[in-house]
Each structure stands twice: as C-alpha cells, then as structure tokens.
C-alpha cells in the first residue's frame, strides 16, 4: 500500500491525534461543571483556564470538531475500503455506539446554544444527563477494553 | 391595537387595557405567537427612586424566596463559600436571593447642570441567555416568551450561571435545594435566585408586579419589536441613549437614558450584586460560530475520506498497479 493511500487508522499520528482529542474533550467537558475551582485543580499553575467557562466551552467545541471529523473519516473508510478485510469487534461496536450517542447528544446541545433555539426543559435535562452518562460509559468501556486487551478491529477469517 | 401596557394605562384603560393585554401580550406569553419574546422598556428619566417596584417585587415573589435549613451541612473543601442572606432579607441596595430588583443612583452632568437619576436594575432577560444555555444541568431555562428563570427545585447552586452572566445577576443562597438530598458536602451549594419576570403573572395575563406598582410608569412591557420601536422613538424625542438592544447580542430589557450610559456607568455604585452599564459583546458568539463547524464536521470527515477513496481507486485503475 503506498504511503498516501494509507488508512487513517494506520497513519502514525492517528493514535496520538485521537488520544489527545479525547483527553481534551473529557477534560474540557468536565470543565462545564463548576468543579475545577472548588477542588483546587484550577489552582495548579498552568491550569487556571480550566475554571474559565468560556475557554473550556470553546475548547470543547474545537476538539469536538476534530473528533467528529476523524470519526466520520474512519467510518467512511471502513465502509468503503476495509470492511472486506477486517471487521469491527463487538467491543468496537459497543464503543462506536457510545460515541454515536455522545455525538448525537452533544450536537443537540450545540444546536440548543444557538440564539433562538429552545428545547423543552425536560429534554435538556435528559440530554445533559445522557451526555454525562455516556462519557462515563465511554471511560469505563475504554478502561475495560484496555485491561482485557480488546481491540476495535480484527481480521476477517479467510 | 394597543399592545404595550404600563401601569397607568392598565389602570386607566381598565377593561379595555385588560382586553388588549389578553389579546396581545398573553398569547405571546403563552407561546401562541411563536418566537415572540417579551421585552420591557425602562425610561430612566421618569424614575423618582421611590422603590415601590422593589417592595412590590419582594411582596409578589415572597413565596419563591429561599427558606434555608440551618445549620448548613458542612461543605468540602473548606474554601467553598457559604452564601447566607436569610438573616439579611431586608437588604434592598443590591441584588440578593431575597431582592431581585434594586434601585441604582447616579449623579451626572447634562448641559452644565447636575442631574440626579435613579433606575431599576435586575436581570436583563437576554435573548440568548448564557445563564440558561450554559447551565450544566438544565436547571435554568428560557420560556418561549423570552423569560429566563432558574428552577429552584433542580438548581444545585454551583453559580455557573452567575459566572457566565455578563452582569453577574443570579445570587446564591446556601442551605436550600436538591443538593441537600444528594451529596451536600461534596457537590452543590444551594440555589441561585434572580428576577423571573413574574412569569406566573404573565401566564395569567397580568403584568409584572414591579411594572404595576410604579407610580411613574417607568416600565412598559410588550413584544420586543414594538418595545424596540418605542425605545427608538423615545430616544429620538428626548435626545436619549439606548442600552440593552445589542448588549450581549440583544436583551429583553431596553433602557433609555437622558445621558450616555458611559456617564451613568461612571457614577453608579458597581460591585457585588450591583451590575454595571458596560458595553457587552455577545458572550455566546465565539463558541456558536465554532458550533457551525461542529455541525459540518461529520459531513466534512465523510467527504474527505470518500474523496480520497475515489482518487485512490482512480489512480489504481489508471496505472494498473495493485498497490
Ligand atoms: S442578564 Fe444574566 S441572568 Fe439575566 S438572562 Fe442575561 S445572562 Fe441570564
Ligand atoms: S419582573 Fe417580577 S420578579 Fe422581576 S423584578 Fe419585576 S417584580 Fe421582581
Ligand atoms: S417604582 Fe417606578 S419610580 Fe419608583 S423606583 Fe421603581 S421604577 Fe422608579
């Protein structure tokens, strides 16, 4: 396979890009709750910005753009190019389902924040709690998969 | 059709005014006129600082005020501030959980003469309220008629609404609310309180208590577009200045002043519970611009991968190589 045609998941920088993006998404996501100041985390030199809601909000969006872009890129490549050779594992599907839920609830919250958009209050609470619940599920499943060495993809048996 | 109601016209017009209120404001308040936000016009030149509005607000909303249980549960870490106004319920010179409206005073110069001005201050009811949009639990909400209010049965008192409010309006009372039933020492710190524009009165077809009580007809309430028109007419007639039309992307509280707001802002007492009259940019706009990119990202990602795939397969066909 020539270099330019390499799949995004085979690019050497992919792991780092994905890891850094997920890390900052989670960090800035937790920053939406007023906890970093209360628990002294924002007092650590260099981390004061974690208590600045408009900064963490902006960064959450920024990393969401990157994350959603690479997720869509990966899924499209999977469908078009590699699903004959490899398949997504069950744990992979589980994590993709969680990520899809995160993107769906996150997108609705992004729309909610535009001027003139209002959703019923009960719906907003469900969105907020689901987004939070899903990220906890993502962290938990990521941890379990790491411990059990579960991969996202596996080769199809010939 | 009359659609703006101030106290005098409300009382004078009696049934007629009540009918026109029912016919115009109430559908907007109840959401029948979709997308119509209610706004108030505050004519600063009329205010005599009698504080009748302040009293009326306290009386009208007494039932909504906090009733904290003491002693408060210990909160960790120690730095978590206790906000207790329950023994200072009669403070009226600033915003508190028990005082959602106060009168600000200014001494300014106009045409070489000293002018004493007073003006009611409370929540501006922003068109796109950051207090509502950025509340992490959805405890703050915006009604269809543009009123923003904090649901005291859900609010955890984390004070984020205050941190993101350009005027730092919401005020905290410790020792009340749902946090007491969750993890009172580790999360939450009471409930945030602010003007809810007497949403319940509006839903019943009445005007807010502060507007009704004012002997000088300082405030007028109506659909925003009409209030804006009225504010511009008034400003033109009186060579006045407007505040609130574009602040924070636009609010539903439009002040008209006989002197520039920079002058007022210099003279008024500002600080905790005492909002400024600064110019305010739309605090939601930066992230919302990026929000468009969030919506486009899945399509951009898929298109980039598909584009590369077709380029790759074409070049493969072209040079006949199989990788
Ligand atoms: S003035 Fe502050 S509290 Fe009132 S709606 Fe705007 S952001 Fe919310
Ligand atoms: S609108 Fe109602 S809650 Fe708001 S300041 Fe006036 S009386 Fe108080
Ligand atoms: S009741 Fe009217 S005149 Fe009196 S302080 Fe309030 S706004 Fe001013």
């Amino acid at each position: 396979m020539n270099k330019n045609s390499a799949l995004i998941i085979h690019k050497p920088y992919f792991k780092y890009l994905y890891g850094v993006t997920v890390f900052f998404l989670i960090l800035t996501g937790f920053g939406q709750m007023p906890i970093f100041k209360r628990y002294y985390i924002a007092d650590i030199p260099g981390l004061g910005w974690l208590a600045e809601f408009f900064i963490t909000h902006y960064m959450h969006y920024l990393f969401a753009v990157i994350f959603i872009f690479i997720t869509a890129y990966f899924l499209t490549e999977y469908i078009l190019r590699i699903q004959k050779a490899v398949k997504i594992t069950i744990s992979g599907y589980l994590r993709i389902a969680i990520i899809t839920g995160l993107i769906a609830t996150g997108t609705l919250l992004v729309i909610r924040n535009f001027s003139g958009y209002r959703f019923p209050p009960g719906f907003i609470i469900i969105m907020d709690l689901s987004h939070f619940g899903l990220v906890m599920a993502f962290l938990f499943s990521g941890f379990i998969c790491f411990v059990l060495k579960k991969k996202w993809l596996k080769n199809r048996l010939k | 059709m009359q659609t703006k109601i101030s106290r005098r016209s409300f009382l004078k017009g009696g049934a007629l005014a009540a009918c026109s209120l029912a016919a115009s404001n109430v559908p907007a308040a109840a959401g029948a006129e979709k997308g119509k936000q209610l706004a108030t016009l505050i004519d600063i030149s009329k205010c005599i600082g009698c504080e009748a509005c302040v009293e009326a607000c306290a009386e009208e909303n007494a039932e909504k005020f906090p009733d904290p249980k003491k002693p408060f549960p210990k909160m960790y870490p120690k730095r978590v501030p206790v906000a207790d106004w329950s023994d200072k319920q009669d403070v009226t010179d600033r915003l508190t959980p028990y005082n959602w409206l106060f009168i600000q005073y200014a001494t300014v110069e106009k045409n070489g003469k000293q002018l004493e001005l007073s003006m009611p201050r409370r929540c501006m009811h922003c068109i796109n309220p950051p207090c509502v949009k950025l509340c992490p639990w959805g405890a703050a909400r915006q009604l269809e008629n543009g009123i923003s209010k904090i649901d005291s049965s859900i609010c955890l008192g984390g004070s984020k609404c205050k941190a993101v409010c350009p005027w730092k309006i919401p005020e905290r009372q410790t020792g009340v609310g749902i946090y007491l039933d969750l993890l009172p020492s580790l999360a939450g710190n009471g409930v945030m309180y602010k003007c809810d524009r007497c949403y319940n009165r509006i839903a019943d077809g009445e005007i807010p208590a502060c507007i009704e009580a004012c002997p000088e007809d300082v405030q007028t309430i109506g659909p925003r577009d009409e209030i804006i028109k009225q504010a511009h007419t008034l400003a033109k007639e009186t060579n006045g200045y407007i505040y609130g039309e574009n602040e924070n992307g636009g609010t539903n509280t439009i002040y008209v002043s006989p002197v520039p707001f920079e002058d007022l802002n210099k003279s008024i007492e500002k600080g905790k519970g005492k909002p400024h009259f600064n110019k305010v940019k739309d605090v939601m706009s930066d992230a919302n611009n990026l929000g468009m990119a969030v919506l486009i990202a899945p399509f951009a990602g898929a298109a980039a991968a598909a584009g590369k795939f077709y380029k790759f397969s074409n070049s493969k066909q072209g040079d006949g190589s199989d990788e």
Side-chain angles (χ1 to χ4, degrees), chain A residues 75-95:
Chain A
L75 283 177
T76 309
E77 257 186 355
Y78 175 78
I79 293 164
L80 291 177
R81 290 179 59 187
I82 54 170
Q83 61 172 335
K84 280 196 199 107
V86 292
K87 67 175 178 185
I88 297 174
T89 59
I90 292 174
S91 75
Y93 270 119
L94 180 74
R95 282 181 280 177

Side-chain angles (χ1 to χ4, degrees), chain B residues 122-126 129-132 148 161 164-170 194 248:
Chain B
R122 47 146 173 86
C123 167
M124 302 286 286
H125 294 282
C126 304
C131 60
V132 171
S148 67
C161 51
V164 296
C165 168
W167 293 274
K168 307 280 172 274
I169 298 286
K194 70 170 194 73
N248 194 26

Side-chain angles (χ1 to χ4, degrees), chain B residues 40 53-58 60-61 64-65 99-102 120-123 125 194-202 207-212 219 221:
Chain B
T40 51
C53 51
V54 179
E55 277 169 40
C57 177
E60 174 66 30
N61 294 303
K64 301 174 193 165
F65 291 160
N99 197 56
W100 301 351
L101 166 70
F102 80 108
R121 297 305 304 273
R122 47 146 173 86
C123 167
H125 294 282
K194 70 170 194 73
C195 159
D196 60 16
R197 188 158 268 178
C198 293
Y199 74 97
N200 43 331
R201 287 177 64 99
I202 290 190
I207 57 174
C210 56
I211 302 184
E212 191 177 283
Q219 297 195 64
I221 189 163

Side-chain angles (χ1 to χ4, degrees), chain B residues 144-180:
Chain B
E144 189 143 23
N145 55 19
I147 292 174
S148 67
K149 64 185 281 278
I150 297 166
D151 187 336
S152 54
S153 67
I154 306 175
C155 176
L156 293 171
S159 200
K160 184 182 177 186
C161 51
K162 181 177 184 136
V164 296
C165 168
W167 293 274
K168 307 280 172 274
I169 298 286
E171 290 287 339
R172 169 158 59 196
Q173 173 63 48
T174 301
V176 273
I178 197 175
Y179 89 108
L180 295 171

Side-chain angles (χ1 to χ4, degrees), chain B residues 8-306:
Chain B
R8 193 167 290 158
S9 58
F10 188 77
L11 295 180
K12 258 197 250 160
L16 180 71
C19 287
S20 73
L21 180 72
S24 59
N25 287 348
V26 174
E33 270 186 71
K34 282 229 180 303
K36 280 258 176 189
Q37 297 204 351
L38 288 175
T40 51
L41 168 63
I42 298 180
D43 182 353
I44 293 178
S45 69
K46 283 186 181 172
C47 177
I48 55 170
C50 67
E51 298 198 354
C53 51
V54 179
E55 277 169 40
C57 177
E59 210 171 288
E60 174 66 30
N61 294 303
E63 272 177 28
K64 301 174 193 165
F65 291 160
D67 183 16
K69 286 178 194 58
K70 290 190 198 178
F72 301 140
K74 261 208 157 29
M75 291 185 288
Y76 298 98
K78 275 213 179 76
R79 67 147 50 161
V80 182
V82 170
D84 182 18
W85 289 92
S86 57
D87 299 329
K88 295 175 276 181
Q89 296 190 25
D90 44 8
V91 170
T92 56
D93 66 348
R94 56 162 287 171
L95 299 173
T96 79
Y98 299 88
N99 197 56
W100 301 351
L101 166 70
F102 80 108
I103 303 298
Q104 228 167 13
Y105 299 90
T107 309
V108 287
E109 249 191 41
K110 186 172 171 144
N111 305 330
K113 275 194 224 143
Q114 280 226 327
L115 205 56
E116 303 281 337
L117 293 172
S118 55
M119 64 228 82
R121 297 305 304 273
R122 47 146 173 86
C123 167
M124 302 286 286
H125 294 282
C126 304
I127 289 181
N128 195 32
C131 60
V132 171
K133 298 294 177 93
L134 300 181
C135 171
W137 307 110
R141 55 191 60 167
Q142 187 181 32
L143 310 183
E144 189 143 23
N145 55 19
I147 292 174
S148 67
K149 64 185 281 278
I150 297 166
D151 187 336
S152 54
S153 67
I154 306 175
C155 176
L156 293 171
S159 200
K160 184 182 177 186
C161 51
K162 181 177 184 136
V164 296
C165 168
W167 293 274
K168 307 280 172 274
I169 298 286
E171 290 287 339
R172 169 158 59 196
Q173 173 63 48
T174 301
V176 273
I178 197 175
Y179 89 108
L180 295 171
D181 303 326
L182 302 169
L183 294 166
S185 7
L186 296 177
N189 185 358
V191 172
M192 307 301 294
Y193 293 89
K194 70 170 194 73
C195 159
D196 60 16
R197 188 158 268 178
C198 293
Y199 74 97
N200 43 331
R201 287 177 64 99
I202 290 190
D204 290 343
E206 291 174 278
I207 57 174
C210 56
I211 302 184
E212 191 177 283
C214 177
E216 301 295 322
D217 282 352
V218 168
Q219 297 195 64
T220 314
I221 189 163
R224 187 173 196 269
D225 43 358
E226 289 182 35
I227 289 292
I228 295 285
K229 255 190 240 154
Q230 205 185 337
H232 279 274
T233 312
L234 179 65
K236 219 171 166 188
E237 280 169 10
T238 58
N239 281 330
Y241 301 83
I242 293 178
Y243 187 83
E245 182 181 1
N246 302 311
E247 273 62 33
N248 194 26
T251 78
N252 285 320
T253 301
I254 314 295
Y255 286 90
V256 177
S257 158
V259 297
F261 281 90
E262 294 81 61
D263 295 359
L264 275 186
N265 200 31
K266 270 183 216 143
S267 175
I268 55 173
E269 215 178 287
K270 298 177 286 287
K272 287 187 176 162
K274 299 178 180 180
H276 55 74
F277 272 123
N278 295 344
K279 287 205 169 71
V280 175
K281 71 160 206 140
D282 181 356
V283 294
M284 296 291 290
S285 67
D286 288 343
N288 275 348
N289 291 337
L290 200 54
M292 290 310 292
V294 175
L295 301 189
I296 294 166
F299 305 103

